[in-house]
Amino acid sequence: MELGARGNRTAVTEFILLGLTENIRLQAILFTVFLFAYVITVGGNFSILAAIFVEPKLHTPMYYFLGNLSLLDIGCITVTVPPMLACLLTHQCRVPYAACISQLFFFHLLAGVDCHLLTAMAYDRYLAICQPLTYSTRMSREVQAALVGICCTISLINALTHTVAVSVLDFCGPNVVNHFYCDLPPLFQLSCSSIHLNGQLLFAGATFMGVVPMILISVSYTHVAAAVLRIRSAEGRKKAFSTCGSHLTVVCIFYGTGFFSYMRLGSVSASDKDKGIGILNTILSPMLNPVIYSLRNPDVQGALKRVLTGKRPPE
């Protein structure tokens, strides 16, 4: 460690990430597994984007949001996994201070947009099922773009707040991060200065980025469930629920892992459990999303087949 540009305030110029394991043989296995997961995730999400682009049936608000979600999934996994693969390949992981702070910023930016985009998707389902007569006007292209813009703005403010708050902390040693990517709780442990304000900001951010969207999603789906139960035909109820099932599955996976990671502020000590939850949050969730959204959706399946075979969509 050396004195950084901040003089005697910050002695740490780089962090050492412990990663998932120090066993070299196991590192080779993990490299293969996570490289495969990364290729599958990026390929799967790009396939969803291609399917939405080429299939006219999928040019709807729901798939507009899904396309944005696929882009976010590609971004989230790209922020964390390639650096981890480089560490597994070289058997060491030294991350410059600036690179660590940058990774933290982009991860929270993309994950935050993900949070609110899932809320926008729930609102879209509410309008489609509960307000079908005014759906096309209330979910116009302008409204869709505005909702995505709002999601990005809120997330940018949240990510900047946490990044600035962390960057003013003093890090004077040790510099070993017990995680496989730079995140808030592991960095808090290494600070030589008070993290009281950071803890409050993290709690407020987790509430605003997690609890509030979850409440809005719950309210939307309460109205959706009530409307669906009023449908007389069993086929109609099944079709209505099927359009929401994929989204609800993604919401449960995303928010379940997110709450476990960031709402346990009474215990900031890192553990292998945190790394496992990190894998679920940064790798498994983006990898499963294309599967979840295409598994029971004949339109997406048909579009994917046409993308893979090169056939043109029917007129």
Side-chain angles (χ1 to χ4, degrees), residues 124-135:
D124 172 71
R125 291 299 84 206
Y126 160 75
L127 289 180
I129 294 174
C130 301
Q131 308 286 337
L133 297 179
T134 59
Y135 175 65

Side-chain angles (χ1 to χ4, degrees), residues 23 49 69 146-147 225:
N23 186 311
L49 285 169
L69 186 67
L147 286 173

Side-chain angles (χ1 to χ4, degrees), residues 170-192:
D170 295 336
F171 295 99
C172 47
N175 65 336
V176 178
V177 179
N178 187 18
H179 216 309
F180 63 92
Y181 66 95
C182 293
D183 202 5
L184 294 171
L187 290 180
F188 288 168
Q189 299 173 68
L190 305 180
S191 174
C192 306

Side-chain angles (χ1 to χ4, degrees), residues 267-280:
S267 173
V268 294
S269 60
S271 67
D272 290 338
K273 285 185 178 179
D274 296 317
K275 297 178 185 179
I277 294 297
I279 291 172
L280 290 176

